[in-house]
């Protein structure tokens, strides 16, 4: 399985080459085009209950699509819904990533996707809800973001502060605490940041250069109100 | 030949920030770490570290990983272990000076898990209590909240839904049907003491056998209902029922209940659209508003009293439900919010029997001519 990102930037697409018999699972609706040798199946990853919990708990889709090169080698073109970069990660069997609910685009079959509960404060204040996706296993993992993706590499005990709505994915070797952006409550909200996450290494944190919620609020003011 | 499935991640200056996947062997004297990031097995580096040089703690996102750190030949090393077999072997082989920190780390993990279980127990319990409370025992609370909402707000809420609905319908502006409904409404509303609502009644041309009331006093009657009704008293019965939904503020009670429920759900599941989404959902809810069974029964009974006060023959309401009951067969009563029409009719009959007999005053119009039109 090989992947190549086409048109890097705001509107990328990823080409995945599959050898005969190989398959990839992708977010439902992610397939743009594919070779005639590829079969598209819809699958409830993790069984019915797993799919159900993913749908209701993380807001991800109930079905994943499986693209299988069952009648010979072929290629698949995949793209996310929102404008923004695609990142390719290679899971080695021990590295695990937490991914915010809209961040998953596609993964090799060896990648396991679970929905996991967060702690009380992270769930309440982190802005991701109480349930997020946990990616583990082995193989290629494609994530998508809103805007460009910026990778933060943290050495052991190194800290970094991230606005919670800009989070895409982070490794499970990191830890983070949610805190007010400034020391005072009022200033925290008037500064426009509200809560931030203080990450502590080692590990990687992927952030997106745009905030989907903020963009939504900005667009809303231009939508004509119909009587 | 070394197995090449990594069981730990090692961090250090010369390793990538993701950590280098490595294979850990626990031996009598310490650990042997083989870095697997190089695909050529011959070039793989192995490093042995005695237990005496290690410090251990709990780490990772959920504090559920064993972190071992030491000073290697080329700098500081930090190892993240998650594999339960390796951790078990480590704990068995570790000498006394590591037992304490290991126990401390293990205790920390247990504490985190226990605390998490406890928090979730508490959240789950209080959520369940809140949901059950909202669902069953909240009526008093809801009424308390509804009492504090000014009529003016209720009117605005209903008005926008009302106009939205009418914009998509064929509204009858005048004619005998409208005149008849207006007369019925006046007869009824004149008997409401201290009525804070100005009722707006609209007749909509549609085959639907129904009428509905929105908060704030907006009532819609479909011509289908008038066609199906065999006497004006039947239509007046339905109207009395709908007017009482408004007077008892049933719509608002429903919304308050729903709002509480939605608020809890969106806190737990993360609310993607924010409060705007909730409000939009409410708008949709308004149009498909279903009244609870208790509210339906209340509207039936107060409707009956209103008919009685207005000197309109209440048996019209009863015969209409009886006719509806013919369609009801096969439905299970406790599954539906509308009490079965047959049961409703029986209940109303019993209630009517308790009231002293009173002479009914007929309407001024001829029903047959209105039905034909």
């Amino acid at each position: 399985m090989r992947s190549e990102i086409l048109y890097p930037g705001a509107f990328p697409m990823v080409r995945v080459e599959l050898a005969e018999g190989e398959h990839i699972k992708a977010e439902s609706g992610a397939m743009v085009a594919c070779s005639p040798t590829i079969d598209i199946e819809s699958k409830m990853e993790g069984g019915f209950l797993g799919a159900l919990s993913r749908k209701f708990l993380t807001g991800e889709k109930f079905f994943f699509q499986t693209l299988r090169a069952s009648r010979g080698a072929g290629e698949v073109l995949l793209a996310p819904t929102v404008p923004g970069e695609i990142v390719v990660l290679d899971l080695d069997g021990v590295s695990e990533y937490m991914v915010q609910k809209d961040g998953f685009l596609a993964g090799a079959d060896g990648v396991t996707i679970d929905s996991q509960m967060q702690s009380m404060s992270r769930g309440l204040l982190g802005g991701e809800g109480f349930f997020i996706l946990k990616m583990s296993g082995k193989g290629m993992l494609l994530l998508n973001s809103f805007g460009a993706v910026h990778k933060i590499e943290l050495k052991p005990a190194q800290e970094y502060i991230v606005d919670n709505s800009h989070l895409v994915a982070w490794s499970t070797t990191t830890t983070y605490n949610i805190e007010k952006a400034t020391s005072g409550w009022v200033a925290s909200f008037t500064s426009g940041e509200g809560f931030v996450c203080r990450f502590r290494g080692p590990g990687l944190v992927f952030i997106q250069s745009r905030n989907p919620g903020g963009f939504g609020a900005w667009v809303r003011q231009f939508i004509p109100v119909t009587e | 030949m070394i197995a090449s499935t990594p069981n730990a991640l090692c961090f250090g200056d010369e390793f990538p920030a993701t950590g280098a996947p490595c294979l850990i062997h626990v031996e009598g004297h310490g650990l042997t770490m083989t870095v697997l990031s190089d695909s050529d097995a011959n070039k793989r580096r192995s490093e042995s570290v005695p237990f005496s040089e290690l410090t251990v703690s709990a780490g990772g996102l959920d504090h559920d990983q064993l972190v071992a750190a030491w000073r290697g030949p080329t700098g500081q090393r930090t190892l993240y272990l998650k594999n339960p077999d390796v951790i078990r072997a480590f704990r068995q082989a570790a000498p006394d000076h590591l037992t304490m920190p290991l126990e401390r780390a293990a205790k920390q993990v247990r504490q985190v898990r226990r605390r998490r279980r406890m928090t979730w127990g508490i959240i789950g319990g209080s959520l369940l209590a809140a949901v059950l409370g909202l669902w069953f025992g909240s009526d008093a609370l809801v009424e308390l909240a509804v009492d504090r909402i000014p009529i003016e707000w209720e009117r605005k809420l209903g008005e926008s839904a009302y106009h939205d609905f009418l914009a998509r319908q064929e509204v009858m502006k005048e004619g005998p049907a409208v005149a008849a409904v207006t007369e019925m409404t006046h007869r009824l509303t004149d008997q409401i003491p201290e009525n804070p609502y100005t009722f707006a009644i609209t007749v909509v041309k549609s085959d639907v056998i129904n009428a509905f009331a929105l908060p704030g006093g907006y009532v819609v009657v479909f011509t289908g209902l008038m066609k199906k009704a065999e006497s004006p008293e039947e239509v007046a019965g339905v109207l009395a029922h709908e007017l009482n939904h408004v007077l008892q503020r049933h719509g608002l009670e429903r919304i308050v209940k729903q709002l509480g429920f939605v608020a809890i759900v969106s806190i737990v599941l993360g609310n993607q659209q924010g409060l705007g989404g909730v409000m939009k959902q409410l708008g949709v809810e308004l149009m498909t508003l279903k009244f609870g069974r208790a509210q339906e029964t209340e509207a039936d009974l107060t409707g009956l009293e209103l008919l009685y006060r207005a000197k309109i023959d209440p048996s019209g309401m009863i015969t209409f439900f009886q006719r509806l009951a013919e369609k009801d067969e096969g439905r299970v009563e406790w599954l539906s919010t509308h009490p079965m029409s047959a049961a409703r009719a029986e209940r109303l009959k019993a209630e009517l029997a308790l009231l002293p007999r009173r002479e009914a005053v007929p309407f001024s119009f001829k029903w047959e001519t209105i039905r034909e039109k």
Side-chain angles (χ1 to χ4, degrees):
Chain A
M1 188 179 301
R2 270 186 31 211
S3 68
E4 180 194 0
I5 293 178
L6 311 171
Y7 322 111
F11 301 98
M13 191 153 70
V14 60
R15 173 164 64 206
V16 181
E17 288 173 18
L18 298 172
E20 178 162 7
E22 272 187 332
H23 63 281
I24 184 171
K25 55 194 162 205
E27 188 196 20
S28 130
M31 201 274 293
V32 177
C34 65
S35 312
T37 49
I38 309 282
D39 282 336
I40 305 167
E41 301 153 15
S42 136
K43 195 176 158 192
M44 293 177 284
E45 174 77 10
F48 180 73
L49 283 180
L52 203 68
S53 72
R54 203 175 45 248
K55 165 79 191 146
F56 286 106
L57 302 182
T58 66
E60 255 289 342
K61 304 222 169 84
F62 188 76
F63 288 99
F64 281 131
Q65 53 180 213
T66 303
L67 301 151
R68 189 186 301 275
S70 41
R71 283 168 281 112
E75 64 171 34
V76 179
L77 299 179
L78 300 169
T81 316
V82 294
E85 235 179 298
I86 298 173
V87 230
V88 184
L89 297 179
D90 197 22
L91 296 189
D92 48 27
V94 276
S95 309
E96 293 171 340
Y97 290 92
M98 308 305 292
V99 177
Q100 59 100 344
K101 51 191 170 247
D102 298 321
F104 173 76
L105 178 62
D109 191 46
V111 174
T112 314
I113 304 158
D114 293 312
S115 47
Q116 205 187 28
M117 278 197 270
Q118 300 216 77
S119 74
M120 182 78 179
S121 60
R122 287 175 186 165
L124 270 179
L125 309 175
E128 310 282 347
F130 276 106
F131 300 87
I132 50 172
L133 298 174
K134 181 180 182 179
M135 307 286 166
S136 54
K138 213 167 153 66
M140 184 188 72
L141 172 64
L142 297 170
L143 302 178
N144 69 269
S145 68
F146 183 58
V149 171
H150 178 68
K151 182 162 86 174
I152 300 168
E153 304 187 339
L154 295 176
K155 292 196 160 40
Q158 190 188 347
E159 291 191 346
Y160 215 85
I161 291 170
V162 179
D163 180 325
N164 51 16
S165 41
H166 286 264
L167 281 174
V168 178
W170 54 99
S171 30
T172 56
T173 51
T174 61
T175 57
Y176 72 91
N177 291 319
I178 310 249
E179 44 188 62
K180 302 191 299 287
T182 66
S183 56
W185 277 102
V186 176
S188 249
F189 285 96
T190 49
S191 73
E193 297 302 337
F195 291 102
V196 292
C197 303
R198 180 187 289 268
F199 273 89
R200 194 179 157 90
L204 296 183
V205 180
F206 292 93
I207 58 174
Q208 51 196 4
S209 64
R210 291 291 179 275
N211 164 0
F215 181 69
W218 181 78
V219 165
R220 206 168 297 142
Q221 61 182 326
F222 300 111
I223 298 175
V225 181
T226 46
E227 258 309 300
Chain B
M1 180 69 197
I2 301 169
S4 54
T5 317
N7 57 14
L9 279 176
C10 186
F11 294 87
D13 285 338
E14 76 266 43
F15 298 130
T18 40
C22 57
L23 188 69
I24 297 297
H25 275 291
V26 181
E27 284 147 12
H29 66 282
L31 302 176
T32 307
M33 175 185 87
T34 311
V35 180
L36 297 176
S37 52
D38 207 324
S39 53
D40 184 352
N42 296 324
K43 283 195 200 154
R44 279 178 185 163
R45 278 173 304 165
S46 276
E47 211 172 299
S48 281
V49 47
F51 282 124
S52 58
E53 287 178 24
L54 287 178
T55 57
V56 294
S57 59
L61 201 59
D62 295 325
H63 288 280
D64 57 353
Q65 308 192 39
L66 182 64
V67 182
W70 73 94
R71 192 138 197 100
T74 53
Q76 186 69 26
R77 297 256 191 271
T78 314
L79 198 64
Y80 275 73
L81 288 165
K82 204 173 183 179
N83 188 314
D85 296 331
V86 182
I87 293 177
R88 203 174 306 120
F90 190 99
R91 285 180 72 173
Q92 277 164 5
D96 290 344
H97 85 274
L98 280 183
T99 319
M100 275 277 282
L102 264 176
E103 276 314 310
R104 214 181 308 133
K107 204 172 142 195
Q108 216 178 339
V109 173
R110 277 198 298 272
Q111 244 172 17
V112 167
R113 286 195 184 143
R114 197 179 324 132
R115 200 162 48 206
R116 181 168 282 200
R117 265 203 301 273
M118 220 164 71
T119 351
W120 279 105
I122 292 169
I123 296 176
S126 38
L127 265 183
L128 198 70
V131 170
L132 287 180
L134 271 175
W135 211 249
F136 296 110
S138 63
D139 292 348
L141 207 69
V142 169
E143 266 172 48
L144 205 73
V146 165
D147 280 347
R148 305 182 75 93
I149 299 174
I151 300 273
E152 184 57 21
W153 287 18
E154 192 183 345
R155 203 182 56 74
K156 276 185 189 148
L157 201 68
E159 192 181 10
S160 60
Y162 185 61
H163 289 313
D164 265 6
F165 177 77
L166 291 184
R168 287 175 278 132
Q169 305 294 330
E170 196 180 333
V171 175
M172 310 248 314
K173 290 241 161 57
E174 50 195 8
V178 178
V181 171
T182 312
E183 185 183 331
M184 289 175 197
T185 312
H186 280 305
R187 287 268 304 263
L188 289 169
T189 50
D190 285 349
Q191 297 304 318
I192 303 167
E194 293 168 37
N195 175 16
Y197 297 96
T198 327
F199 285 99
I201 317 268
T202 307
V203 182
V204 165
K205 205 167 179 180
S206 161
D207 288 336
V208 181
I209 306 167
N210 201 3
F212 68 83
L214 290 169
Y218 298 92
V219 181
V220 172
V221 180
F222 294 100
T223 47
L225 174 76
M226 302 179 78
K227 263 186 218 148
K228 177 87 177 175
E230 277 168 9
S231 72
E233 281 76 16
E234 292 188 4
V235 178
V238 176
L239 260 179
H241 171 96
E242 293 304 330
L243 292 184
N244 274 291
H245 272 316
V246 175
L247 291 172
Q248 315 289 338
R249 307 184 92 177
H250 285 159
L252 216 53
E253 282 177 13
R254 247 0 229 188
I255 293 170
V256 169
K257 240 182 191 180
Q258 203 102 29
L259 194 64
F261 190 69
V262 170
I264 290 175
V265 170
S266 41
I267 286 173
V268 177
L269 303 185
N271 177 15
Q272 279 111 325
Q273 290 128 359
L275 205 62
V278 175
M279 295 312 288
K280 202 175 104 200
Q281 183 63 35
L282 265 181
V284 176
E285 217 65 58
L286 255 183
M287 286 321 307
T288 56
L289 204 58
K290 282 222 160 130
F291 293 103
R293 288 188 52 189
Q295 293 180 332
E296 292 298 338
T297 309
E298 193 183 5
D300 278 355
L301 296 181
T302 47
L304 185 82
E305 280 165 30
L306 186 59
L307 289 170
Y308 182 79
R309 281 205 304 273
K311 295 185 183 157
I312 298 170
D313 185 7
S315 57
M317 192 180 197
I318 297 171
T319 51
F320 190 71
F321 284 140
Q322 274 168 340
R323 206 119 37 74
L324 278 186
E326 292 160 18
K327 292 197 309 180
D328 267 350
E329 280 167 33
R331 227 174 50 172
V332 184
E333 179 171 6
W334 53 267
L335 276 179
S336 65
T337 51
H338 265 77
M340 293 275 274
S341 301
R344 286 170 91 171
E346 285 310 311
R347 179 86 199 259
L348 288 173
K349 255 189 208 163
E351 205 65 31
L352 183 61
L354 295 178
L355 295 170
R357 276 200 70 82
R358 200 170 185 183
E359 207 53 54
V361 179
F363 289 104
S364 64
F365 47 81
K366 263 202 138 31
W367 186 243
E368 284 68 31
T369 51
I370 289 166
R371 269 182 91 190
E372 277 161 27
K373 290 195 174 162

